[in-house]
């Protein structure tokens, strides 16, 4: 009768630091998200929405979504069966479906396809750059023009036969790739995105936002210069919190000193953007850094920050309530992939061959 161990496993954001990095990333490259992968994905979604709207009857969002869901399932099966692409969500289920004698677009491949599939991952960006209507799953005039030369007219048989599926998507794939440059024009048109893209072109060898800070807009520059300090403070705060979750009532003097130094540096760098300054999480973090930099009641400050973020702000159950308590939660922090969307921004600039004025770069 023992509860399954997965009931106690967590991959959340116990101290609000993931949220901080997302807010900083939104300042650096606002039209890219952590789920962005390829320039072609933006175009495939436009193609899928246009095709879905042509099939939906009546053309309301609920019906367009149902048709698009079939399109996405088919596209991912095409990727798995006929290409080398594997960096998409739902690949385990897709791999299983691809073992069948024919495609299957009626079976769910994600727990929440609307939120975590292609549409959920890219819709905010597509709307922000003016390619999809803000209040409907419908392409804007700019979106229609961008994919004007892309043909995709698959009918039902394309979703019930592997050869038909391959023919339908492979013939469209080259046309989708041909839209990359036009997509780049929309994606990097606004001031922050353009500044970020130009910074990459000026210093192609850069490996972090801090190396590009001098070429960014003033608000971006401040955030870029704070990235390294945030990563260091996050590592120290999360590792200390994990120690407290084991039942320790106090941290070692060396750990406390590192927390104090990291917090003092992060306050000096001021990573919280003006747009995020009044958010509850931002206020909670600022208060904690102030207290940690003073080196007083360090352990209790971390516990209080956790309770504030997880319970008071987000309304969830806390993982630990007091010092000396051993938490039942099994939390394995991940310190990889915390580059503030740096690599994906560089990748999209390369894929779209963006340059100021639309001049092709090589």
């Amino acid at each position: 009768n023992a509860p399954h161990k997965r009931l106690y496993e967590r991959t959340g954001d116990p101290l609000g630091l993931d949220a901080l990095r997302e807010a900083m990333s939104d300042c650096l490259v606002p039209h890219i998200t952590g789920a962005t992968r390829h320039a072609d994905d933006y175009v495939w979604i436009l193609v899928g929405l246009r095709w879905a709207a042509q099939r939906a009857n009546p053309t309301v969002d609920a019906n367009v979504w149902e048709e698009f869901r079939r399109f996405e399932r088919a596209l991912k099966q095409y990727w798995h069966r006929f290409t080398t692409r594997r960096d998409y969500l739902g690949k385990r289920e897709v791999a299983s479906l691809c073992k069948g004698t024919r495609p299957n677009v009626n079976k769910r491949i994600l727990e929440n396809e609307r939120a975590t599939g292609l549409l959920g991952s890219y819709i905010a960006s597509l709307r922000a750059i003016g390619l999809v209507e803000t209040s409907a799953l419908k392409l804007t005039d700019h979106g229609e023009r961008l994919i004007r030369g892309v043909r995709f007219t698959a009918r039902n048989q394309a979703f019930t036969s592997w050869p038909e599926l391959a023919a339908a998507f492979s013939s469209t794939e080259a046309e989708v790739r041909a839209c990359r440059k036009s997509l780049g024009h929309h994606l990097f048109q606004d001031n922050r995105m353009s500044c970020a893209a130009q910074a990459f072109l000026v210093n192609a060898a850069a490996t972090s936002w801090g190396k590009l800070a001098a070429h960014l807009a003033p608000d971006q520059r401040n955030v870029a210069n704070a990235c390294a300090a945030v990563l260091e403070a996050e590592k120290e705060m999360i590792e200390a919190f994990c120690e407290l979750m084991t039942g320790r009532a106090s941290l070692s003097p060396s750990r406390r000193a590192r927390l104090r130094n990291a917090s003092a540096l992060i306050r000096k760098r001021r990573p919280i953007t003006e747009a995020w300054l009044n958010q509850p999480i931002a206020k909670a973090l600022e208060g904690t850094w102030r207290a940690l930099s003073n080196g007083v009641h360090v352990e209790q400050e971390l516990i209080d920050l956790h309770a504030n973020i997880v319970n008071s702000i987000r309304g969830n159950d806390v993982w630990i309530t007091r010092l000396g308590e051993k938490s039942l939660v099994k939390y394995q922090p991940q310190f990889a992939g915390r580059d503030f969307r740096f690599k994906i921004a560089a990748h999209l600039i390369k894929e779209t061959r963006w340059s100021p004025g639309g001049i092709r770069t090589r």
Side-chain angles (χ1 to χ4, degrees):
N1 294 326
H4 194 279
K5 68 177 182 178
R6 290 188 64 86
L7 291 176
Y8 300 112
E9 292 177 354
R10 295 291 189 277
T11 58
D13 181 21
L15 302 181
L17 296 164
D18 287 352
L20 170 64
R21 282 189 282 101
E22 286 298 298
M24 294 171 67
S25 300
D26 284 342
C27 178
L28 294 166
V29 277
H31 301 329
I32 297 174
T33 72
T36 303
R37 292 293 177 268
H38 297 281
D40 291 353
D41 290 352
Y42 290 87
V43 184
W44 275 119
I45 293 168
L46 296 178
V47 172
L49 285 177
R50 183 184 64 183
W51 174 84
Q54 292 168 349
R55 292 177 59 89
N57 185 24
T59 310
V60 295
D61 277 6
N63 293 341
V64 171
W65 159 245
E66 287 300 325
E67 293 295 339
F68 181 87
R69 180 160 57 180
R70 297 174 67 242
F71 171 87
E72 179 177 344
R73 292 169 179 174
L75 174 61
K76 289 182 174 178
Q77 288 175 67
Y78 166 74
W79 283 339
H80 188 89
R81 180 116 179 179
F82 300 104
T83 75
T84 59
R85 179 165 178 185
R86 297 295 182 270
D87 57 342
Y88 56 85
L89 294 180
K91 58 186 176 183
R92 289 184 180 179
E93 188 62 34
V94 169
S96 177
L97 293 175
C98 285
K99 294 176 182 178
T101 57
R102 64 179 187 174
N104 183 346
V105 295
N106 298 315
K107 189 171 182 180
R108 185 173 60 185
I109 60 175
L110 290 166
E111 190 66 28
N112 187 342
E113 289 177 309
R114 182 71 182 263
T116 60
L118 286 176
L119 197 60
S121 298
Y122 286 83
I123 190 65
S125 297
L126 285 165
R127 284 173 167 158
I129 62 178
L131 300 179
V132 174
E133 297 283 357
T134 58
S135 58
L137 294 181
K138 179 182 179 181
L139 273 60
T140 62
D141 291 342
H142 290 301
E144 292 284 0
R145 283 196 293 272
L146 192 146
I147 63 168
R148 183 169 47 197
V150 181
R151 294 163 294 173
F152 185 80
T153 56
R155 300 191 182 277
N156 287 334
Q157 55 266 36
F159 300 151
T160 58
S161 161
W162 289 121
E164 292 287 342
L165 181 80
F169 283 96
S170 62
S171 62
T172 305
E173 192 165 23
E175 296 169 348
V176 165
R177 289 176 180 171
C179 295
R180 288 176 177 176
K181 186 178 178 182
S182 296
L183 173 72
H185 170 73
H186 291 280
L187 188 58
F188 297 105
Q189 190 171 24
D190 105 324
N191 183 56
R192 285 180 175 176
M193 293 293 291
S194 178
C195 282
Q198 291 185 65
F200 274 99
L201 296 185
V202 170
N203 189 355
T207 56
S208 68
W209 287 110
K211 301 292 185 181
L212 301 180
H215 307 288
L216 298 173
D219 57 341
Q220 293 174 300
R221 190 178 308 138
N222 188 67
V223 168
N225 282 324
C227 287
V230 167
L231 295 182
E232 181 61 27
E234 178 180 9
K235 182 175 183 294
E236 293 298 336
M237 291 171 70
I238 290 295
E239 288 182 347
F241 179 71
C242 286
E243 287 185 29
L244 297 178
M245 287 176 63
T246 66
R248 292 190 60 173
S250 62
L251 300 169
S252 67
S254 60
R255 172 72 74 186
R256 291 165 62 92
R258 291 197 299 272
L259 279 169
R260 183 172 60 251
N261 294 336
S263 298
L265 178 59
I266 207 171
R267 292 189 68 203
K268 181 179 178 181
R269 295 298 188 191
R270 296 181 293 110
I272 297 176
T273 65
E274 185 175 346
W276 208 55
L277 199 57
N278 292 320
Q279 293 296 317
I281 293 179
K283 293 180 178 180
L285 286 170
E286 185 62 46
T288 299
W289 293 328
R290 186 184 305 111
L292 292 180
S293 62
N294 292 331
V296 180
H297 306 304
V298 168
E299 295 85 355
Q300 190 60 51
E301 288 293 338
L302 289 174
I303 298 296
D304 290 346
L305 174 64
H306 171 66
N308 197 355
I309 297 293
V310 173
N311 184 259
S312 301
I313 295 175
R314 292 176 171 158
N316 298 319
D317 294 334
V318 297
W319 301 0
I320 184 172
T321 59
R322 64 184 184 278
L323 290 175
E325 175 188 2
K326 185 175 182 180
S327 177
L328 292 175
V329 171
K330 306 300 180 184
Y331 174 57
Q332 296 294 328
Q334 300 293 327
F335 295 116
R338 304 180 303 150
D339 67 349
F340 302 89
R341 306 174 196 164
F342 182 89
K343 290 180 182 177
I344 185 57
H347 182 64
L348 289 175
I349 293 165
K350 183 178 180 179
E351 279 193 325
T352 61
R353 297 191 176 185
W354 182 89
S355 65
I359 300 172
R360 186 179 178 125
T361 59
R362 296 182 181 277

